[in-house]
Amino acid sequence: RLVSPEQNAYNRPAAKGWYLTKSGKYHSQIRFRVDGKPRCVNVGTFATPEAAHEAWLLAKKKYHIIAAESEK
């Protein structure tokens, strides 16, 4: 069926930085660029989405600073 990008976004989870695995746990990862090249760091697997999101926020602070410094 044809839908707009806005309608398609309804199918996405509201939280950033984690997804539900087949085993029922929450995997967290962060993506960023260093010198124009994409990087992906696996933060870990957690029992709750809140824990996965909290870990993602900490990793975001760490790795986005590294990415910003590499662009200088």
Side-chain angles (χ1 to χ4, degrees), residues 15-21 25-31 40-60 63:
K16 284 187 167 186
W18 60 265
Y19 61 88
L20 185 61
T21 64
K25 298 200 178 201
Y26 300 88
H27 183 78
S28 183
Q29 65 184 19
I30 187 162
R31 294 174 188 225
C40 180
V41 174
N42 292 314
V43 178
T45 304
F46 304 89
T48 66
E50 293 83 9
H53 183 68
E54 185 65 31
W56 178 79
L57 289 173
L58 292 173
K60 180 180 175 185
Y63 288 106

